[in-house]
Each structure stands twice: as C-alpha cells, then as structure tokens.
C-alpha cells in the first residue's frame, strides 16, 4: 500500500486531528490566507467540535464499541464508518455507527466524517468494474479504502462545476469544468474549479467523481475520479464567510458551521495511484448510484436526528409561550412528528430490504425517492416552526441584555414566558432561531434542499427508472373492459 501523503496517521485523537490540519494547505477566507485552520477564529470552533467527537469516541467505552472496530487487514482500531458489510449484522453495526455520529451532532453536520467514509466504501464496492475498464484503477480504489480507513481520514467532495453559465457546455469552453490537461508518467495534471466542497478546510483529502457532462460524447477530458490531499500543490480552497457571531452566542453556528468552499485546481498533479477512473463517462454515470449506496443511508440517519431536534424544539417553543394547548398548534406539532416517524420507519425499511451488490457486500435498498421527500419535508417543518414561534424569532434579549442590571427588571417582567424565565426562554428561542430563521438556519435549509443534487433533476431520474409496467397493465386491462361493455 504505497499511498501515504496526508499528515493524518491512525485513529484520530483530538490533538492528532488538530495537528493534521496544519499541513501547509492553501485556505482562504474573507480575502486572507489562513495560516493554520485549527487556530483561526473562523474555523477553530468547528475544529474543536470535531476534535471533541474524536475524543468522545475513544473516552466512552460504549461509543468506542459502536463507532470503531478492528481492521480486518491490520487489527488496528479503525472507524466503523469504513467497514465493508456483507451480513445483516455487519450492516446494522455500520449504521449504528452512523447513528452515533449523527446523534452526537444533533443532525447538524451534514458532512460528518461518517458520510464520506461510506462513499469510500462504495468506491471499494465498484473496484471490479473500475479494474475491468483500466488495469490498476480497481486496485487503486481498494488501496484507497485501506489507506483512508487505517488513517481515519476526514474527506470532502465537490461534484459540481462552477456556476458560471449553465446554458453553456464545457465542450465549448473548457474552463466551465475541471479537466485533464496532461497525462504523464507520474499521473494526470488537472486544471479548473469545483463546487461546493462542504467541510473542505476541516478535511484531509478531497474526492472528485462527477461533473455535468459525464455521459456526453466528446467529454472524456472532463471525466475523472480521483482523491487528493488538501495540501496538494496548486489546490486553493476559498471558504465562504463564517456564520458564527464574534461573541459566539449563536450556539449552533459556533460549533456546527461545517463550511462550504470553492476548490481551484491550478495544474495540479494527481499521482496515478490516486486515480480511479478516467474518460469513461458511462462507467462514471453507472457508478454513481453504486458508490453512494451506503452514504445515502447515512444522510437519512442524519436527517432523522435533525427532525427529532425540530420536534423537540418546536414543542418547547410552543410551551414557552403557552400556545401548545391550541388545537391548530397541536396539529402542527403532530405533523412534524409524523415526518419524523415516517423517516424512522423508512430508514429501517431500506436496511431490512438490503440486497447483495455484484461484489458481494450488503447494501441498503435504493432510496433516492426518500431523499427528495426529505428535501421538501425539511422546508415544510421550518415553515411550521416559524409560524409557531412567530415574532419570538425576531425579538429576544441578547446575553448582554440579560446581564444588564438596568434592563433585567424589564426583561423579567415583560419577556418571560409561560412557566419559564426570561433567560431560559430567550436562549431557547435563539436556538430555535438558528434552526429556522437566521443565516445559519437558512444555510442549513439550503443544504437540506440541495445536498443530494438538484431535486428536480433527481425526480426526473426517478421517473425514468421507476418500473410501472405491472400497474400500467392493470390500467390497460380495466379500461379495455369499457370497450367490451
Ligand atoms: C449548503 C450546500 C452545501 C453543499 N455541499 C456540497 C458538497 O459537499 N459537495 C458537493 O459536491 N456539492 C455540494 N453542494 C452543491 C449541490 O449539490 C448543488 O447545489 C446542487 O447540485 C444544485 O447545483 P447548483 O447549485 O450548481 O445549481 P445550478 O445547477 O446552477 O441550478 C440553478 C437553478 O437552475 C436550474 N437548472 C440548472 N440547470 C438546469 C437545466 N439543465 N434544466 C432545467 N433547470 C436547470 C436548477 O434546477 C436550479 O433551480 C452543496 C450545496 C449547498 C447549497
């Protein structure tokens, strides 16, 4: 296994994770280059959240048992997110690990390390097809899985082309997509940009495996699957502005701003042992479902945790202002729970209906429809909670207001709630505001709607793939009876 280029080594601890990010990567935010992500005020709170998760995973025996296992290759303790399940018990154990990750972060970290680890499991599962297409590429995929698992890599991915002109094609202007400009004895040299890499500044490596023209004739130079360390020479990471307030009183944004970034590749060398697919658009298009087979379940599990949080916060907000006894509000709260329960059962169903893959792993049944349902449901739940909290999501005293001796008597008298003091009520409402009404909440909602790709395009793909033949035949049969009356 020759691959060994990031600074990450073995199962992460909090300290090793922090240190591994200080690797010379080129990260920019607010027009300035970041010296060390782990120390920078825009990134440190999120780095600390990840570091704490790594610590908690090792400190608590039950967490360790759920989220790690012994590598079948080396016997080392590794993240269970990278496990290759071939029995129902192994599949259950894998998704219990996903549940652990998503529960710890209240469903707020869309790209928790569990997600991309499961994509790498999918990459391993596709190795035979990759190898058959080009000798060595399947082996690279298998090696990459071992390397990522043994070094507990945190990964990001960026699939989209830059949003320049969607009516134009990279076949006319190659700068519209990432492309291979050279193949040499060391590897491929790539040029261009990719978006939107959530978690990029906190990741060890990036995986690239899609673009908008994959299956088009003549698009070979744009078709590539590869992995690259975030400190690769020529890779520039541009992050969006941070969402946490300088005083850190927005609790969720202060810890769970997982960042979103543009990636610029300025003639970057990708060594051959990191390339998994090149030029074959049909193989790439076909492989997309295969490599996402486990990660899609991880996203459902994460969204379930988020819905549970929504259900609790909505009920507590309603209670805090004494509207929870009203019939309409109870219906609204029940509607949120109906979505939460539907998703819980659907997750269990996808696992129960798991089928073997051609490589012999066990994968949950395809559940793309569930993903597009979730994209809509999330918006509906946000709308319900906004309606319940109403003006309370706009006006609450800040921590500084609460601390003011002059203001406090007024706040205690006029801004407390039903059986709840002003301090607790304002903190609850500010948390709810972060979920449904401020910059962090809006970003999360954009994420819920778009992170699986454009839902409209997804539904169209669902329409094409769905087998209606049996019911269509029933309809033909019923209407044919009219003719014989
Ligand atoms: C918060 C957030 C985090 C994300 N994280 C990641 C990540 O980690 N990794 C990653 O790879 N991606 C990520 N994404 C990107 C996400 O996958 C895309 O937003 C999604 O695929 C839509 O692409 P786009 O944003 O480029 O929209 P565009 O393609 O620019 O579309 C803009 C609008 O035009 C419409 N449109 C575009 N083309 C057509 C067409 N041909 N016909 C009809 N209508 C069309 C779309 O429906 C949409 O309404 C993230 C996005 C967000 C918002």
């Amino acid at each position: 296994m020759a691959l060994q280029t990031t600074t990450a080594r073995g199962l992460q601890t909090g300290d090793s994770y922090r240190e591994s990010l200080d690797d010379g990567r080129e990260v920019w935010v607010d027009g300035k280059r970041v010296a060390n992500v782990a120390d920078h005020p825009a990134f440190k709170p999120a780095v600390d959240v990840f570091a704490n998760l790594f610590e908690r995973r090792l400190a608590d025996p039950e967490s360790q048992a759920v989220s790690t296992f012994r590598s079948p290759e080396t016997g080392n303790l590794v993240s269970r997110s990278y496990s290759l399940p071939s029995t129902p018990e192994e599949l259950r154990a894998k998704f219990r690990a996903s549940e652990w990750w998503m529960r710890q972060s209240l469903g707020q970290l869309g790209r928790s390390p569990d997600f991309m680890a499961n994509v790498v499991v999918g990459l391993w599962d596709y190795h035979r097809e990759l190898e058959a297409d080009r000798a060595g590429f399947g082996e690279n995929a298998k090696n990459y899985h071992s390397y990522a698992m043994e070094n507990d890599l945190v990964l990001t991915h960026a699939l989209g082309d830059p949003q320049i002109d969607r009516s134009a094609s990279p076949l006319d202007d190659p700068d519209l997509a990432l492309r291979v400009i050279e193949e040499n004895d060391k590897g491929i040299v790539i040029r261009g940009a990719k978006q939107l890499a959530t978690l990029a500044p906190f990741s060890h490596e990036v995986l690239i495996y899609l673009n908008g023209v994959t299956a088009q004739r003549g698009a070979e130079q744009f078709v590539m699957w590869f992995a690259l360390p975030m400190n690769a020479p020529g890779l520039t990471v541009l992050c969006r502005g941070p969402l946490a307030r300088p005083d850190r009183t927005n609790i969720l944004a202060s810890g769970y701003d997982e960042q979103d970034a543009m990636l610029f590749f300025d003639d970057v060398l990708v060594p051959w042992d990191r390339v998994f697919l090149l030029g074959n658009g049909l193989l790439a298009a076909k492989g997309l479902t295969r490599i996402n087979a486990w990660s899609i379940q991880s996203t459902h599990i994460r969204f379930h945790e988020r819905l549970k949080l929504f259900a609790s916060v909505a009920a507590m907000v309603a209670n805090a202002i004494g509207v929870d006894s009203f019939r309409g509000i109870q219906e609204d709260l029940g509607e949120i729970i109906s979505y939460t329960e539907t998703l819980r059962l659907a997750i269990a169903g996808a696992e129960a209906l798991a089928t073997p893959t051609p490589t012999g792993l066990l994968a949950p049944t395809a559940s793309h429809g569930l993903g597009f349902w979730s994209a809509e449901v999330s918006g509906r739940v946000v709308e319900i909670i906004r309606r319940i909290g109403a003006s309370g999501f706009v006006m609450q005293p800040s921590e500084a207001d609460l601390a003011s001796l002059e203001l406090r008597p007024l706040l205690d008298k006029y801004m407390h709630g039903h059986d709840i003091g002003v301090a607790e009520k304002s903190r609850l409402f500010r948390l709810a505001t972060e979920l449904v009404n401020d910059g962090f909440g809006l970003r999360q909602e954009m994420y819920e709607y778009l992170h699986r790709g454009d839902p409209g395009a997804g539904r169209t793909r669902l329409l094409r793939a769905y087998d209606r033949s049996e019911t269509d035949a029933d309809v033909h049969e019923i209407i044919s009876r009219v003719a014989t009356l």
Side-chain angles (χ1 to χ4, degrees):
M1 196 173 65
L3 270 170
Q4 196 67 260
T5 51
T6 65
T7 49
R9 297 284 182 275
L11 198 69
Q12 304 291 345
T13 64
D15 285 345
S16 74
Y17 174 65
R18 285 192 185 88
E19 282 160 22
S20 68
L21 298 177
D22 188 13
D23 60 359
R25 62 188 56 202
E26 187 178 337
V27 175
W28 290 74
V29 68
D30 282 337
K32 295 197 180 71
R33 185 162 175 188
V34 175
N36 179 3
V37 167
D39 290 344
H40 191 279
F43 304 115
K44 186 176 181 306
V47 172
D48 288 345
V49 162
F50 286 111
N52 287 340
L53 285 175
F54 290 131
E55 284 297 314
R56 207 177 306 164
R57 177 177 65 167
L58 290 176
D60 170 38
E62 200 186 324
S63 297
Q64 189 184 114
V66 169
S67 65
T68 65
F69 76 126
R70 292 276 160 201
S71 159
E73 295 169 32
T74 60
N76 295 335
L77 201 60
V78 294
S79 165
R80 199 183 281 278
S81 307
Y82 281 106
S83 66
L84 301 171
S86 52
T87 66
E89 293 73 31
E90 288 170 1
L91 194 64
R92 182 80 290 271
K94 168 182 263 310
F95 291 135
R96 276 194 70 208
S98 299
E99 285 157 18
W100 184 87
W101 280 103
M102 304 317 175
R103 183 84 212 278
Q104 301 299 315
S105 48
L106 301 167
Q108 298 304 306
L109 292 174
R111 300 304 191 209
S112 140
D114 180 73
F115 170 78
M116 281 304 292
N118 275 298
V119 173
V120 175
V121 169
L123 183 69
W124 185 97
D125 186 54
Y126 205 44
H127 72 264
R128 286 192 192 155
E129 288 82 349
L130 299 174
E131 187 68 23
D133 184 55
R134 189 146 159 183
F137 282 2
E139 203 55 29
N140 289 349
K142 282 172 69 181
N143 284 342
Y144 190 75
H145 170 265
S146 304
Y147 160 71
M149 177 170 73
E150 296 296 333
N151 294 299
D152 203 14
L153 293 194
V154 176
L155 301 174
T156 182
H157 73 317
L159 307 185
D161 299 323
Q163 198 178 33
I164 297 172
D165 180 355
R166 293 288 187 241
S167 69
S169 166
L171 300 183
D172 304 320
D173 176 359
D175 280 343
L176 297 180
L178 184 67
R179 67 190 190 277
V180 178
I181 56 165
E182 186 188 317
E183 289 186 34
N184 59 38
D185 56 343
K186 293 198 182 79
I188 56 173
V189 179
I190 53 168
R191 181 183 298 170
K194 276 281 180 193
Q195 65 174 58
L196 197 59
T198 298
L199 209 71
F202 311 122
S203 301
H204 299 116
E205 303 216 356
V206 58
L207 215 67
I208 300 287
Y209 52 90
L210 185 74
N211 67 66
V213 290
T214 292
Q216 279 181 33
R217 201 189 295 266
E220 290 76 12
Q221 63 174 316
F222 304 106
V223 180
M224 69 206 90
W225 287 13
F226 65 83
L228 203 61
M230 294 306 292
N231 64 353
L235 171 57
T236 303
V237 180
L238 173 62
C239 297
R240 63 160 164 72
L243 297 169
R245 285 163 52 120
D247 66 2
R248 305 270 173 243
T249 51
N250 47 355
I251 305 162
L252 294 179
S254 295
Y256 299 119
D257 183 1
E258 57 185 352
Q259 264 293 346
D260 307 289
M262 286 293 297
L263 304 182
F264 305 110
F265 299 86
D266 187 13
D267 295 6
V268 176
L269 173 75
V270 184
W272 280 119
D273 57 3
R274 293 175 158 280
V275 182
F276 314 120
L277 185 151
L278 209 52
N280 188 339
L282 283 179
L283 189 71
K286 221 177 91 195
L288 204 58
T289 309
R290 282 285 293 284
I291 70 169
N292 283 321
W294 292 270
S295 62
I296 191 172
Q297 185 82 344
S298 163
T299 69
H300 298 325
I301 291 168
R302 196 232 4 116
F303 184 50
H304 182 234
E305 289 300 327
R306 187 162 150 81
L307 280 181
K308 280 164 57 187
L309 182 68
F310 276 140
S312 284
V313 168
M316 289 165 81
V317 160
N319 184 266
I321 53 172
V323 298
D324 54 334
S325 59
F326 300 150
R327 170 69 193 259
I329 301 285
Q330 289 178 353
E331 284 179 19
D332 284 348
L333 294 173
E335 186 177 333
I336 299 175
I337 291 170
S338 75
Y339 298 136
T340 311
E341 279 297 274
T342 303
L343 184 57
R344 181 175 69 82
L345 297 172
I347 289 169
E351 193 180 315
L353 296 175
T355 49
T357 69
T359 317
L361 297 188
L362 195 61
T365 197
S367 57
H368 302 288
L370 187 60
F372 303 125
W373 174 86
S374 299
E376 301 296 342
V377 159
S378 182
R380 170 71 187 146
V381 170
V382 165
E383 181 191 312
I384 289 174
I385 299 178
R386 274 200 202 134
R387 223 168 44 202
I388 295 175
S391 62
F393 293 144
V394 178
M395 181 57 216
Q396 290 296 331
S398 68
E399 287 300 311
D401 297 331
L402 290 169
S404 158
L405 295 179
E406 277 174 83
L407 280 175
R408 190 59 188 253
L410 290 171
L411 307 183
D412 282 333
K413 188 168 170 59
Y414 296 114
M415 296 194 81
H416 70 91
H418 165 76
D419 288 343
I420 186 171
V422 62
E424 198 185 344
K425 179 189 169 200
S426 67
R427 285 172 194 144
L428 172 66
F429 267 75
R430 280 187 270 130
L431 176 76
T433 302
E434 281 197 75
L435 285 174
V436 300
N437 215 37
D438 73 353
F440 178 76
L442 292 179
R443 182 270 170 199
Q444 296 297 77
E445 192 39 38
M446 287 291 279
Y447 179 87
E448 292 299 354
Y449 188 70
L450 286 168
H451 76 88
R452 302 168 194 87
D454 179 358
R459 280 191 215 100
T460 312
R461 280 197 301 277
L462 209 55
L463 172 70
R464 284 199 296 266
Y466 186 74
D467 181 7
R468 303 192 329 255
S469 53
E470 211 178 322
T471 315
D472 281 9
D474 288 344
V475 174
H476 282 303
E477 202 272 322
I478 290 169
I479 59 178
S480 70
R481 285 189 219 152
V482 179
T484 58
L485 286 178

